[in-house]
Amino acid sequence: MENKKMKVAELFAGVGGFRLGLEKSNFEVVWSNQWEPSTKMQHASMVYEERFGKENHSNEDINEVVTRNVEEIPDHDLLVGGFPCQDYSVATTLHNSKGLKGKKGVLWWSIHSILENKKNKPKYLFLENVDRLLKSPAKQRGRDFAVMLQSLNDLGYAVEWRVINAAEYGMPQRRRRVFFIGYHKSTEIYKRLQKSNKTNWLTEEGTIANAFPVAKTNSIQEIELKGDLVEITNNFNKNGKLSPFQNTGLLIKGKVYTTKTEPNYDGKRTVLADVLQNGEVTPEFFIDENNYLGVPFGRVFRTRFFVPIVSKRAQTIASIPNAA
């Protein structure tokens, strides 16, 4: 019998790189959101709609959506998105019924609100950020990532992460990003992760390790996240000069396991010369004036080059349906 497709909600969708990768496997995007603040022309959303259509696509501030009614977002199995690196610190407030408040406009809290308030919560998360997230802010290294991890822990998710440089896995661009995958406690993969040897999971058995192999290591550091989000904001690594979070790690039940890994890739490699066209400029490189969306040429060029890379990375989680 054919496997049921996994339903996806795509946040911060850009021009749809995540979607291109996911739809090559057994995934169906049931809702997407792309909003660029402080600009009238929503170029990325226009490109997305031209490629995938307007149905179930939202071009509205995601904060407005989740504040109004989080159930406007259809039920989904997997939440994906590449959200911006911002200040994730948390403060107490007497005006907030739950006693905690993140800074206004920080988009992580929109993700948090979906996970906290959706009646049917997504079983899996697949998120991306710049690698400096692991060591920000400069005066309290690793605090922001610790706040994120503890907030997901409070919501019943385990998390594994890895900093991946696309060039080290055969792609024609040096692009370092941290990817993390979350598993809700109701899933079988959460239970397997809980029982696993954590070093083996990070280097051999885990979802990321299967997609992006690394050399075996026996060194691992354990960190216990203590306190609520306010305490972590105020006290985490207060006097430390270096972040305790290495390029690879996982969190489950409040305990972090982290290590430094090295890529172990022996597959096909593509270099820039392989993707640049040298010679005749064929018609596909010209924009038909009848279909021009008002998008600057440089943005169109970056879109053409970037999509293959994000399509590759989005297939990181192709093994999740079989693991559930």
Side-chain angles (χ1 to χ4, degrees), residues 83-127:
F83 60 101
C85 185
Q86 298 172 297
D87 182 347
Y88 305 109
S89 60
V90 176
T92 55
T93 170
L94 296 176
H95 302 291
N96 186 286
S97 62
K98 295 188 178 179
L100 297 174
K101 186 176 182 181
K103 289 190 175 181
K104 185 177 181 180
V106 176
L107 296 174
W108 166 251
W109 299 111
S110 295
I111 297 174
H112 186 274
S113 181
I114 295 170
L115 302 179
E116 182 178 36
N117 296 315
K118 279 285 290 179
K119 181 178 179 181
N120 296 317
K121 304 180 188 305
K123 294 179 180 179
Y124 306 103
L125 316 173
F126 182 34
L127 305 171

Tab-separated table of all heavy atoms in Angstrom, residues 83-127:
chain	number	residue	atom	x	y	z
A	83	PHE	N	14.286	30.549	9.874
A	83	PHE	CA	13.917	31.796	10.543
A	83	PHE	C	15.155	32.628	10.867
A	83	PHE	O	16.270	32.097	10.955
A	83	PHE	CB	13.125	31.495	11.826
A	83	PHE	CG	13.870	30.679	12.842
A	83	PHE	CD1	14.442	31.278	13.942
A	83	PHE	CD2	13.993	29.304	12.691
A	83	PHE	CE1	15.134	30.530	14.880
A	83	PHE	CE2	14.681	28.544	13.615
A	83	PHE	CZ	15.257	29.165	14.715
A	84	PRO	N	15.005	33.939	11.032
A	84	PRO	CA	16.162	34.810	11.259
A	84	PRO	C	16.749	34.655	12.656
A	84	PRO	O	16.059	34.288	13.595
A	84	PRO	CB	15.587	36.220	11.057
A	84	PRO	CG	14.135	36.077	11.348
A	84	PRO	CD	13.748	34.695	10.906
A	85	CYS	N	18.033	34.949	12.765
A	85	CYS	CA	18.725	34.925	14.059
A	85	CYS	C	18.474	36.258	14.749
A	85	CYS	O	18.877	37.310	14.263
A	85	CYS	CB	20.222	34.707	13.850
A	85	CYS	SG	21.155	34.514	15.377
A	86	GLN	N	17.778	36.213	15.880
A	86	GLN	CA	17.426	37.430	16.612
A	86	GLN	C	17.717	37.228	18.096
A	86	GLN	O	18.325	36.243	18.490
A	86	GLN	CB	15.936	37.747	16.382
A	86	GLN	CG	15.592	38.025	14.917
A	86	GLN	CD	14.096	38.135	14.679
A	86	GLN	OE1	13.360	37.190	14.883
A	86	GLN	NE2	13.664	39.302	14.242
A	87	ASP	N	17.274	38.177	18.911
A	87	ASP	CA	17.475	38.100	20.365
A	87	ASP	C	16.326	37.285	20.966
A	87	ASP	O	15.174	37.707	20.961
A	87	ASP	CB	17.477	39.523	20.943
A	87	ASP	CG	17.738	39.553	22.441
A	87	ASP	OD1	17.673	38.475	23.081
A	87	ASP	OD2	17.997	40.634	22.981
A	88	TYR	N	16.662	36.089	21.492
A	88	TYR	CA	15.632	35.184	21.999
A	88	TYR	C	15.426	35.293	23.509
A	88	TYR	O	14.782	34.443	24.111
A	88	TYR	CB	15.995	33.736	21.641
A	88	TYR	CG	16.217	33.542	20.169
A	88	TYR	CD1	17.486	33.310	19.665
A	88	TYR	CD2	15.163	33.604	19.269
A	88	TYR	CE1	17.704	33.150	18.301
A	88	TYR	CE2	15.358	33.445	17.913
A	88	TYR	CZ	16.630	33.219	17.438
A	88	TYR	OH	16.835	33.067	16.093
A	89	SER	N	15.985	36.326	24.116
A	89	SER	CA	15.901	36.448	25.561
A	89	SER	C	14.445	36.573	26.025
A	89	SER	O	13.569	37.029	25.293
A	89	SER	CB	16.705	37.657	26.051
A	89	SER	OG	16.208	38.849	25.466
A	90	VAL	N	14.209	36.157	27.255
A	90	VAL	CA	12.864	36.109	27.822
A	90	VAL	C	12.834	36.895	29.121
A	90	VAL	O	13.768	36.829	29.916
A	90	VAL	CB	12.433	34.647	28.086
A	90	VAL	CG1	11.079	34.600	28.774
A	90	VAL	CG2	12.398	33.873	26.786
A	91	ALA	N	11.745	37.641	29.325
A	91	ALA	CA	11.577	38.407	30.557
A	91	ALA	C	10.262	38.037	31.219
A	91	ALA	O	9.343	37.545	30.574
A	91	ALA	CB	11.600	39.908	30.252
A	92	THR	N	10.173	38.273	32.498
A	92	THR	CA	8.894	38.077	33.200
A	92	THR	C	8.032	39.316	33.016
A	92	THR	O	8.530	40.421	32.855
A	92	THR	CB	9.106	37.852	34.707
A	92	THR	OG1	9.867	38.959	35.220
A	92	THR	CG2	9.830	36.569	34.959
A	93	THR	N	6.745	39.145	33.046
A	93	THR	CA	5.821	40.271	32.968
A	93	THR	C	4.534	39.914	33.675
A	93	THR	O	3.994	38.831	33.504
A	93	THR	CB	5.528	40.668	31.512
A	93	THR	OG1	4.450	41.606	31.519
A	93	THR	CG2	5.142	39.479	30.648
A	94	LEU	N	4.021	40.827	34.469
A	94	LEU	CA	2.764	40.602	35.181
A	94	LEU	C	1.570	40.690	34.238
A	94	LEU	O	0.475	40.253	34.572
A	94	LEU	CB	2.613	41.634	36.309
A	94	LEU	CG	3.653	41.561	37.419
A	94	LEU	CD1	3.442	42.701	38.413
A	94	LEU	CD2	3.579	40.217	38.136
A	95	HIS	N	1.804	41.262	33.059
A	95	HIS	CA	0.700	41.451	32.115
A	95	HIS	C	0.521	40.252	31.200
A	95	HIS	O	-0.399	40.220	30.400
A	95	HIS	CB	0.952	42.707	31.272
A	95	HIS	CG	1.110	43.934	32.095
A	95	HIS	ND1	0.063	44.501	32.806
A	95	HIS	CD2	2.193	44.705	32.352
A	95	HIS	CE1	0.506	45.580	33.453
A	95	HIS	NE2	1.790	45.720	33.199
A	96	ASN	N	1.413	39.294	31.311
A	96	ASN	CA	1.304	38.109	30.468
A	96	ASN	C	0.780	36.966	31.320
A	96	ASN	O	1.356	36.645	32.361
A	96	ASN	CB	2.676	37.745	29.879
A	96	ASN	CG	2.588	36.622	28.879
A	96	ASN	OD1	2.401	35.479	29.256
A	96	ASN	ND2	2.727	36.949	27.604
A	97	SER	N	-0.288	36.329	30.890
A	97	SER	CA	-0.967	35.332	31.722
A	97	SER	C	-0.067	34.158	32.074
A	97	SER	O	-0.246	33.527	33.103
A	97	SER	CB	-2.226	34.834	31.003
A	97	SER	OG	-1.884	34.206	29.779
A	98	LYS	N	0.915	33.867	31.216
A	98	LYS	CA	1.790	32.725	31.492
A	98	LYS	C	3.107	33.159	32.133
A	98	LYS	O	3.976	32.328	32.372
A	98	LYS	CB	2.039	31.945	30.196
A	98	LYS	CG	0.742	31.320	29.652
A	98	LYS	CD	1.004	30.400	28.492
A	98	LYS	CE	-0.304	29.772	28.026
A	98	LYS	NZ	-0.124	28.872	26.875
A	99	GLY	N	3.254	34.468	32.357
A	99	GLY	CA	4.413	34.933	33.110
A	99	GLY	C	5.690	35.064	32.325
A	99	GLY	O	6.703	35.472	32.852
A	100	LEU	N	5.681	34.713	31.042
A	100	LEU	CA	6.883	34.786	30.233
A	100	LEU	C	6.594	35.593	28.986
A	100	LEU	O	5.504	35.521	28.421
A	100	LEU	CB	7.356	33.391	29.812
A	100	LEU	CG	7.776	32.447	30.923
A	100	LEU	CD1	8.079	31.077	30.347
A	100	LEU	CD2	8.995	32.986	31.657
A	101	LYS	N	7.590	36.348	28.527
A	101	LYS	CA	7.388	37.135	27.325
A	101	LYS	C	8.703	37.295	26.576
A	101	LYS	O	9.677	37.805	27.118
A	101	LYS	CB	6.826	38.523	27.662
A	101	LYS	CG	6.460	39.336	26.435
A	101	LYS	CD	5.828	40.660	26.840
A	101	LYS	CE	5.426	41.455	25.602
A	101	LYS	NZ	4.827	42.761	25.973
A	102	GLY	N	8.706	36.853	25.308
A	102	GLY	CA	9.850	37.102	24.449
A	102	GLY	C	9.721	38.478	23.828
A	102	GLY	O	8.660	39.107	23.849
A	103	LYS	N	10.825	38.987	23.279
A	103	LYS	CA	10.802	40.321	22.702
A	103	LYS	C	9.885	40.382	21.490
A	103	LYS	O	9.822	39.450	20.691
A	103	LYS	CB	12.223	40.736	22.305
A	103	LYS	CG	13.108	41.014	23.508
A	103	LYS	CD	14.421	41.646	23.111
A	103	LYS	CE	15.237	42.022	24.336
A	103	LYS	NZ	16.516	42.675	23.982
A	104	LYS	N	9.177	41.497	21.366
A	104	LYS	CA	8.225	41.678	20.282
A	104	LYS	C	8.934	41.611	18.928
A	104	LYS	O	10.007	42.192	18.752
A	104	LYS	CB	7.517	43.033	20.430
A	104	LYS	CG	6.422	43.257	19.404
A	104	LYS	CD	5.706	44.578	19.650
A	104	LYS	CE	4.604	44.785	18.625
A	104	LYS	NZ	3.898	46.069	18.848
A	105	GLY	N	8.325	40.906	17.983
A	105	GLY	CA	8.866	40.835	16.633
A	105	GLY	C	9.892	39.748	16.418
A	105	GLY	O	10.343	39.528	15.296
A	106	VAL	N	10.291	39.047	17.480
A	106	VAL	CA	11.249	37.946	17.323
A	106	VAL	C	10.485	36.723	16.821
A	106	VAL	O	9.615	36.190	17.515
A	106	VAL	CB	11.974	37.653	18.651
A	106	VAL	CG1	12.887	36.445	18.508
A	106	VAL	CG2	12.779	38.877	19.087
A	107	LEU	N	10.818	36.281	15.623
A	107	LEU	CA	9.973	35.314	14.923
A	107	LEU	C	10.022	33.916	15.521
A	107	LEU	O	9.144	33.093	15.241
A	107	LEU	CB	10.346	35.294	13.442
A	107	LEU	CG	10.063	36.626	12.727
A	107	LEU	CD1	10.583	36.597	11.304
A	107	LEU	CD2	8.583	36.954	12.746
A	108	TRP	N	11.026	33.634	16.336
A	108	TRP	CA	11.046	32.337	17.008
A	108	TRP	C	9.773	32.134	17.831
A	108	TRP	O	9.237	31.038	17.899
A	108	TRP	CB	12.268	32.202	17.917
A	108	TRP	CG	12.140	31.039	18.850
A	108	TRP	CD1	11.933	31.065	20.187
A	108	TRP	CD2	12.147	29.650	18.484
A	108	TRP	NE1	11.827	29.800	20.701
A	108	TRP	CE2	11.957	28.905	19.668
A	108	TRP	CE3	12.304	28.978	17.275
A	108	TRP	CZ2	11.920	27.519	19.674
A	108	TRP	CZ3	12.266	27.592	17.281
A	108	TRP	CH2	12.069	26.869	18.462
A	109	TRP	N	9.265	33.203	18.429
A	109	TRP	CA	8.105	33.060	19.295
A	109	TRP	C	6.819	32.802	18.507
A	109	TRP	O	5.842	32.311	19.063
A	109	TRP	CB	7.985	34.273	20.225
A	109	TRP	CG	9.209	34.374	21.083
A	109	TRP	CD1	10.175	35.329	21.032
A	109	TRP	CD2	9.643	33.428	22.065
A	109	TRP	NE1	11.171	35.047	21.938
A	109	TRP	CE2	10.872	33.885	22.581
A	109	TRP	CE3	9.108	32.237	22.567
A	109	TRP	CZ2	11.582	33.203	23.572
A	109	TRP	CZ3	9.818	31.544	23.552
A	109	TRP	CH2	11.028	32.031	24.042
A	110	SER	N	6.836	33.103	17.210
A	110	SER	CA	5.706	32.703	16.359
A	110	SER	C	5.716	31.187	16.171
A	110	SER	O	4.665	30.536	16.226
A	110	SER	CB	5.789	33.398	14.997
A	110	SER	OG	5.637	34.792	15.132
A	111	ILE	N	6.901	30.619	15.961
A	111	ILE	CA	7.023	29.163	15.880
A	111	ILE	C	6.580	28.543	17.203
A	111	ILE	O	5.803	27.588	17.245
A	111	ILE	CB	8.477	28.757	15.552
A	111	ILE	CG1	8.890	29.298	14.185
A	111	ILE	CG2	8.649	27.241	15.619
A	111	ILE	CD1	10.347	29.071	13.850
A	112	HIS	N	7.079	29.107	18.291
A	112	HIS	CA	6.740	28.612	19.624
A	112	HIS	C	5.234	28.641	19.852
A	112	HIS	O	4.654	27.689	20.406
A	112	HIS	CB	7.461	29.462	20.674
A	112	HIS	CG	7.313	28.981	22.075
A	112	HIS	ND1	6.241	29.325	22.874
A	112	HIS	CD2	8.096	28.170	22.837
A	112	HIS	CE1	6.371	28.763	24.068
A	112	HIS	NE2	7.492	28.051	24.069
A	113	SER	N	4.576	29.700	19.422
A	113	SER	CA	3.131	29.834	19.611
A	113	SER	C	2.363	28.760	18.855
A	113	SER	O	1.374	28.216	19.352
A	113	SER	CB	2.670	31.224	19.153
A	113	SER	OG	1.284	31.391	19.338
A	114	ILE	N	2.820	28.442	17.650
A	114	ILE	CA	2.180	27.366	16.878
A	114	ILE	C	2.305	26.039	17.624
A	114	ILE	O	1.329	25.299	17.794
A	114	ILE	CB	2.806	27.265	15.477
A	114	ILE	CG1	2.510	28.530	14.674
A	114	ILE	CG2	2.282	26.027	14.738
A	114	ILE	CD1	3.286	28.621	13.372
A	115	LEU	N	3.504	25.743	18.095
A	115	LEU	CA	3.747	24.473	18.789
A	115	LEU	C	2.996	24.405	20.123
A	115	LEU	O	2.533	23.343	20.531
A	115	LEU	CB	5.244	24.292	19.036
A	115	LEU	CG	6.144	24.316	17.811
A	115	LEU	CD1	7.605	24.138	18.221
A	115	LEU	CD2	5.743	23.244	16.805
A	116	GLU	N	2.870	25.537	20.769
A	116	GLU	CA	2.225	25.574	22.078
A	116	GLU	C	0.704	25.546	21.980
A	116	GLU	O	0.021	24.894	22.790
A	116	GLU	CB	2.658	26.834	22.830
A	116	GLU	CG	2.081	26.949	24.234
A	116	GLU	CD	2.564	28.189	24.958
A	116	GLU	OE1	2.742	29.238	24.299
A	116	GLU	OE2	2.766	28.120	26.181
A	117	ASN	N	0.153	26.209	20.972
A	117	ASN	CA	-1.289	26.465	20.968
A	117	ASN	C	-2.088	25.663	19.953
A	117	ASN	O	-3.316	25.598	20.083
A	117	ASN	CB	-1.536	27.960	20.739
A	117	ASN	CG	-0.979	28.808	21.865
A	117	ASN	OD1	-1.147	28.499	23.041
A	117	ASN	ND2	-0.289	29.883	21.514
A	118	LYS	N	-1.444	25.073	18.948
A	118	LYS	CA	-2.202	24.233	18.023
A	118	LYS	C	-2.783	23.041	18.778
A	118	LYS	O	-2.099	22.385	19.562
A	118	LYS	CB	-1.294	23.709	16.908
A	118	LYS	CG	-1.039	24.672	15.773
A	118	LYS	CD	-2.236	24.802	14.825
A	118	LYS	CE	-2.453	23.535	14.010
A	118	LYS	NZ	-3.631	23.681	13.105
A	119	LYS	N	-4.053	22.753	18.541
A	119	LYS	CA	-4.680	21.611	19.201
A	119	LYS	C	-3.999	20.315	18.774
A	119	LYS	O	-3.671	19.458	19.611
A	119	LYS	CB	-6.172	21.567	18.859
A	119	LYS	CG	-6.906	20.423	19.539
A	119	LYS	CD	-8.400	20.445	19.214
A	119	LYS	CE	-9.120	19.279	19.888
A	119	LYS	NZ	-10.569	19.263	19.557
A	120	ASN	N	-3.794	20.156	17.473
A	120	ASN	CA	-3.053	19.013	16.944
A	120	ASN	C	-1.648	19.478	16.590
A	120	ASN	O	-1.432	20.100	15.548
A	120	ASN	CB	-3.767	18.439	15.717
A	120	ASN	CG	-5.137	17.878	16.062
A	120	ASN	OD1	-5.303	17.199	17.072
A	120	ASN	ND2	-6.134	18.176	15.238
A	121	LYS	N	-0.719	19.192	17.460
A	121	LYS	CA	0.639	19.719	17.312
A	121	LYS	C	1.417	18.928	16.258
A	121	LYS	O	1.233	17.716	16.117
A	121	LYS	CB	1.375	19.654	18.649
A	121	LYS	CG	0.638	20.386	19.755
A	121	LYS	CD	1.384	20.321	21.061
A	121	LYS	CE	0.541	20.894	22.193
A	121	LYS	NZ	0.063	22.261	21.924
A	122	PRO	N	2.305	19.598	15.514
A	122	PRO	CA	3.131	18.858	14.551
A	122	PRO	C	4.043	17.866	15.263
A	122	PRO	O	4.587	18.161	16.327
A	122	PRO	CB	3.937	19.959	13.855
A	122	PRO	CG	3.890	21.128	14.774
A	122	PRO	CD	2.593	21.038	15.506
A	123	LYS	N	4.209	16.699	14.658
A	123	LYS	CA	5.053	15.666	15.256
A	123	LYS	C	6.536	15.954	15.057
A	123	LYS	O	7.373	15.530	15.855
A	123	LYS	CB	4.714	14.310	14.641
A	123	LYS	CG	3.310	13.811	14.953
A	123	LYS	CD	3.067	12.469	14.285
A	123	LYS	CE	1.676	11.937	14.581
A	123	LYS	NZ	1.430	10.635	13.900
A	124	TYR	N	6.844	16.685	13.970
A	124	TYR	CA	8.245	16.891	13.612
A	124	TYR	C	8.500	18.349	13.264
A	124	TYR	O	7.620	19.059	12.768
A	124	TYR	CB	8.623	16.026	12.411
A	124	TYR	CG	8.310	14.572	12.587
A	124	TYR	CD1	7.205	13.996	11.961
A	124	TYR	CD2	9.112	13.755	13.399
A	124	TYR	CE1	6.908	12.663	12.127
A	124	TYR	CE2	8.814	12.424	13.574
A	124	TYR	CZ	7.710	11.867	12.930
A	124	TYR	OH	7.404	10.546	13.106
A	125	LEU	N	9.743	18.792	13.491
A	125	LEU	CA	10.200	20.123	13.120
A	125	LEU	C	11.460	19.977	12.279
A	125	LEU	O	12.286	19.092	12.526
A	125	LEU	CB	10.537	20.954	14.362
A	125	LEU	CG	9.570	20.910	15.543
A	125	LEU	CD1	10.163	21.649	16.735
A	125	LEU	CD2	8.231	21.499	15.139
A	126	PHE	N	11.608	20.847	11.290
A	126	PHE	CA	12.836	20.895	10.500
A	126	PHE	C	13.158	22.364	10.265
A	126	PHE	O	12.523	23.032	9.459
A	126	PHE	CB	12.639	20.159	9.173
A	126	PHE	CG	13.869	20.103	8.310
A	126	PHE	CD1	15.130	20.009	8.854
A	126	PHE	CD2	13.749	20.124	6.922
A	126	PHE	CE1	16.255	19.939	8.059
A	126	PHE	CE2	14.866	20.051	6.111
A	126	PHE	CZ	16.117	19.962	6.680
A	127	LEU	N	14.131	22.888	11.029
A	127	LEU	CA	14.404	24.317	11.055
A	127	LEU	C	15.859	24.609	10.701
A	127	LEU	O	16.742	23.770	10.891
A	127	LEU	CB	14.073	24.888	12.435
A	127	LEU	CG	12.639	24.620	12.927
A	127	LEU	CD1	12.489	25.045	14.383
A	127	LEU	CD2	11.611	25.326	12.053
